[in-house]
Amino acid sequence: MSVQAPAPPTRAATPTEQTTPSKKGRDSYFSNAKLALIVLVVIGHAWAPLTGQSFSVNAFYTTLYAFHMPAFILLCGYFSKSFTGRPDQLRRVLTGILAPYILFSLLYGLFRIWIDGEFTLGLLYPYYLTWFLAALFVWRVTSPIWRVVKYPVLIATLISIGAVMMDLPGAFDLGRILQFLPFFVAGMFLRREHFEMVKRPLVKYPATVATVAVLGLAYLYAGDLDSNWIYFNEGAEQMDVSRMAALPIKLVLMAAAVVLLVTFFAWIPDRTFRWTSLGEATMYAFLLHGFITRGANYGMGWYDNEFVHTATGAVTVTLLAVAIALLLMSKPVRWLTRPLVEPKLDWLLNRTSRERSESGSGSAAPVNS
C-alpha cells in the first residue's frame, strides 16, 4: 500500500504510492485515515493466530477484516481518479507498484525457506500480503475504463457478486481483484465533500450504533463463517456453499462493509497531529510487517506461549502491533529500506519532461496522477 497523500487535483496521489512524507499539499484527514488503516492492518495480522481461542478476538478480527481492506482500496480508487495513462503516471505504476511487487515476492519467497522450508517465487500466485500490489496494478491501469462506463459502481458490484458464484483460479489472486473491485470503483467517484457528509451527526451516530450491532453479530456468528468470506478471495463452491446460499451472505457482508466504512471515515479527525505525517509512509509498514508477524508465528513460535491466548496477552499483542507499525514507518527504517520499497529505476526507465521539470524546480518526488 504505497500510500500517497492527496495533492492538487491534477496531481492526485494514491494510498499505494509512496513519496517522502511532506506537509506540502497534504490533506491531514486522509493522512490520518491511512495511518489508522495501516495500524489496523498490522493488528489484524497479529490477531490472526488468536482467533481460534477467543470469541471476542474472533469478533473483532472478523469485523476488522470486513472493512479495513475495503477502506484502503476505496482510498486507492479515490486517488486514482485522475489516472489517464500518461507516461509519468505509468512510470509511477512501474516504480511504485510493479517493482515492489517483484522485489517483495522474491524477498518473501526467500523468507519462506525459514518458515516453510521451501523457496517459492510468488509472482503468479502472490504470497501473503503481496496480493494487494498485484491487484492494485490491475485496478490502476484499468481505471480509465470506469470513467467511460455507465453505472460503473453497479457494474463493479455485479462483477464482485459474480466472482463469488465462480470457481476462480488462484493466479494473481483473481478472486480478490474481482471481489474488492466495487470499493476501488466507488472511490474513484467520491469527492471530498462526501467524506464531510459522513461526519454529520445524522449519519455518524446511527452508523456507529449499526457498527456496534455488526460487532455483536460477529461475536455470535463469526465462528461459523468461513474466513475466506471476509478475505474476499474464493468462490462459493471453493467454500462448500451453494450459489443460492452464497448470494445473501455476500450481500450482507457488503452491506456490513458499507456501514463500517461510513463509521470509520466519520470518526477520522480532520486535523494535523504530530504523527499525521506517518500516513504518507504506510507502504513501509505494509510491506515490511509481514516478516515480523509471519516470523513470530511460524518461525519463532511466539504464539505457542499460553500467555498470548489470555485477555492480557491479546491486549499485549495489540499494543505490540501498534508499536511495530509505527516503528516501520519511522525515518531510520524508511532510510534503510527505501531502495526496496521505493526503488529508483532511472537506469531502466526514461524520465518524462514533466518529471525533469519538477526535479529542476526543486519539488518533491513526482506524484502520480
Side-chain angles (χ1 to χ4, degrees):
M1 298 170 210
S2 152
V3 178
Q4 183 87 3
T10 57
R11 297 176 56 202
T14 84
T16 48
E17 297 184 36
Q18 189 64 48
T19 61
T20 303
S22 167
K23 294 181 181 178
K24 185 176 181 180
R26 310 297 186 192
D27 186 327
S28 59
Y29 175 78
F30 291 112
S31 295
N32 290 331
K34 290 178 286 186
L35 176 59
L37 285 169
I38 195 59
V39 170
L40 291 176
V41 167
V42 180
I43 289 174
H45 286 153
W47 278 350
L50 307 178
T51 56
Q53 304 293 324
S54 169
F55 281 107
S56 297
V57 173
N58 195 31
F60 280 107
Y61 178 83
T62 301
T63 304
L64 174 62
Y65 265 79
F67 85 92
H68 77 322
M69 285 311 302
F72 245 126
I73 292 163
L74 182 141
L75 288 180
C76 289
Y78 180 79
F79 292 114
S80 296
K81 61 180 63 181
S82 61
F83 182 86
T84 58
R86 293 196 317 262
D88 61 308
Q89 295 173 330
L90 293 175
R91 176 188 171 97
R92 190 58 184 155
V93 167
L94 295 176
T95 59
I97 302 174
L98 187 59
Y101 175 66
I102 295 172
L103 286 171
F104 277 87
S105 293
L106 173 62
L107 290 175
Y108 275 106
L110 294 171
F111 180 68
R112 293 187 69 181
I113 297 176
W114 175 40
I115 63 173
D116 296 331
E118 64 177 0
F119 169 78
T120 303
L121 181 60
L123 290 178
L124 289 179
Y125 297 90
Y127 174 71
Y128 200 30
L129 47 76
T130 57
W131 72 267
F132 181 77
L133 293 177
L136 181 65
F137 178 83
V138 174
W139 295 328
R140 174 62 55 77
V141 299
T142 58
S143 59
I145 295 174
W146 297 105
R147 285 192 293 273
V148 299
V149 172
K150 289 185 177 180
Y151 318 114
V153 178
L154 175 60
I155 293 174
T157 301
L158 293 175
I159 290 173
S160 179
I161 294 172
V164 175
M165 305 300 171
M166 297 185 288
D167 186 0
L168 297 168
F172 297 111
D173 244 335
L174 182 61
R176 283 182 165 129
I177 292 175
L178 298 179
Q179 291 192 53
F180 279 119
L181 180 62
F183 302 103
F184 181 87
V185 175
M188 288 183 60
F189 295 93
L190 290 178
R191 298 188 299 275
R192 185 61 171 85
E193 52 264 34
H194 291 132
F195 293 94
E196 293 298 325
M197 288 174 60
V198 301
K199 288 180 168 292
R200 296 174 181 173
L202 287 177
V203 177
K204 182 177 183 177
Y205 295 110
T208 303
V209 172
T211 292
V212 174
V214 170
L215 183 59
L217 291 172
Y219 184 86
L220 294 174
Y221 300 109
D224 300 323
L225 184 70
D226 189 320
S227 58
N228 287 303
W229 280 107
I230 57 172
Y231 297 155
F232 284 63
N233 64 339
E234 290 190 354
E237 290 188 358
Q238 293 165 299
M239 294 183 286
D240 296 322
V241 177
S242 69
R243 289 185 174 88
M244 290 300 295
L247 180 59
I249 295 174
K250 175 70 173 179
L251 293 176
V252 167
L253 289 174
M254 292 188 75
V258 172
V259 168
L260 295 168
L261 283 170
V262 170
T263 303
F264 173 79
F265 286 111
W267 285 98
I268 291 297
D270 196 357
R271 53 173 293 193
T272 300
F273 301 94
R274 290 179 58 187
W275 56 82
T276 295
S277 63
L278 293 179
E280 307 312 316
T282 55
M283 173 67 112
Y284 289 85
F286 179 73
L287 288 177
L288 297 172
H289 83 273
F291 295 109
I292 299 174
T293 54
R294 216 64 165 175
N297 188 16
Y298 297 103
M300 293 175 282
W302 288 359
Y303 286 90
D304 295 334
N305 190 310
E306 291 184 4
F307 166 76
V308 173
H309 298 279
T310 65
T312 304
V315 173
T316 302
V317 168
T318 303
L319 295 176
L320 285 173
V322 174
I324 288 168
L326 297 178
L327 174 65
L328 294 178
M329 291 182 284
S330 66
K331 287 184 179 180
V333 173
R334 295 202 310 268
W335 179 79
L336 285 171
T337 60
R338 182 167 286 118
L340 298 172
V341 179
E342 300 184 74
K344 293 186 179 297
L345 299 180
D346 291 344
W347 57 273
L348 180 64
L349 302 175
N350 292 319
R351 298 182 68 188
T352 66
S353 58
R354 171 175 171 159
E355 291 172 317
R356 286 194 295 268
S357 174
E358 289 174 344
S359 176
S361 63
S363 63
V367 179
N368 199 38
S369 55

